[in-house]
Amino acid sequence: MTPDLFPNPASPHTNLLPYDGILNDHGIIFTPAEADACLHILLHEIPWRHDQVRLYGQTITTARQTAWYAEASAAYTYSGITRAPLPWTPFLLRLKARVEQHLHAVSPTAFNSCLLNRYRHGGEGMGWHSDDEAELGTNTVIASLSFGATRKFAFRHNRTREKREILLHHGQLVVMRGATQHHWQHAVMKSRKISEERVSLTFRTYVGRQAKAT
């Protein structure tokens, strides 16, 4: 049985996971006008393309669209496919600085990469997975910024199968840290009731492929 949704907003110091990880909800950090402007820019200025994943030996094109931004050397491999990064834009760097500034009082973090996902309606989502690739290092911090339609963000523990859920709203910031990626999977749940678009930006710290040897 899935527990009730987390109360929103919660203190950014409150851990919303019961054990084996940390999830902090920083609430809505943009005004409605700011969030609307950000969504418009993201929908019209990002060179979106459909993602590809390797599943059971086959390459599958996903319904959602993605974009990967980082330094030129930060090729990122997940789901069996390597993605070359796009160069940072001034707009994305401003969003990154806004997130880093907001997190500074809780736990200072500097990000050097960002994976963007575009969901055109509630029929597009993200299945259960963990962001535990070696390129992201150990106990990585991932800050997820949402614009557009409210969507359900779910967590499932790898061993106990216990679940937790949170609603992500227009302009909201949540942060996963600690051992979360080692013990929990997360997913963006589908809903036929949602017709509006949502864009997520997940700011990350890319450490490179050399991390596999450490």
Side-chain angles (χ1 to χ4, degrees):
M1 179 177 179
T2 302
D4 294 336
L5 296 175
F6 294 129
N8 187 28
S11 166
H13 299 279
T14 300
N15 183 10
L16 300 182
L17 294 178
Y19 46 80
D20 289 344
I22 300 171
L23 174 66
N24 301 128
D25 178 13
H26 291 258
I28 296 171
I29 66 170
F30 290 81
T31 67
E34 287 177 328
D36 288 346
C38 288
L39 179 62
H40 179 82
I41 292 172
L42 291 166
L43 290 177
H44 293 89
E45 296 187 7
I46 298 298
W48 298 105
R49 68 177 188 178
H50 291 281
D51 201 9
Q52 290 186 324
V53 299
R54 291 286 295 175
L55 188 64
Y56 303 117
Q58 295 183 324
T59 300
I60 299 173
T61 300
T62 63
R64 75 178 188 282
Q65 297 174 310
T66 68
W68 167 246
Y69 284 84
E71 300 300 323
S73 61
Y76 181 33
T77 300
Y78 65 91
S79 298
I81 302 292
T82 299
R83 293 141 182 94
L86 296 166
W88 287 104
T89 67
F91 171 69
L92 290 177
L93 286 174
R94 289 196 297 271
L95 287 184
K96 184 172 83 74
R98 178 78 168 261
V99 169
E100 291 171 343
Q101 182 181 25
H102 190 85
L103 296 182
H104 183 77
V106 178
S107 179
T109 305
F111 300 105
N112 61 8
S113 54
C114 183
L115 179 65
L116 290 80
N117 285 286
R118 178 185 183 181
Y119 307 90
R120 293 171 295 176
H121 48 72
E124 296 180 355
M126 175 80 79
W128 292 108
H129 70 286
S130 297
D131 297 318
D132 56 357
E133 294 80 15
E135 289 97 325
L136 299 180
T138 302
N139 292 342
T140 187
V141 178
I142 298 178
S144 179
L145 186 60
S146 296
F147 294 106
T150 297
R151 297 293 297 268
K152 185 182 293 185
F153 193 39
F155 286 78
R156 182 177 68 187
H157 193 272
N158 293 335
R159 177 177 54 83
T160 68
R161 316 308 280 178
E162 185 172 354
K163 292 182 180 179
R164 291 291 188 272
E165 297 174 345
I166 183 173
L167 291 177
L168 299 181
H169 301 280
H170 192 35
Q172 185 173 350
L173 174 67
V174 298
V175 179
M176 299 177 284
R177 63 175 73 248
T180 303
Q181 306 305 323
H182 301 289
H183 298 289
W184 294 82
Q185 292 183 314
H186 52 276
V188 177
M189 310 306 290
K190 296 180 180 181
S191 173
R192 295 181 180 178
K193 299 178 180 179
I194 298 172
S195 58
E196 298 83 10
E197 298 207 56
R198 171 182 178 257
V199 172
S200 70
L201 301 90
T202 51
F203 293 96
R204 303 151 184 253
T205 302
Y206 179 91
V207 299
R209 296 180 180 179
Q210 68 274 13
K212 297 179 180 179
T214 62

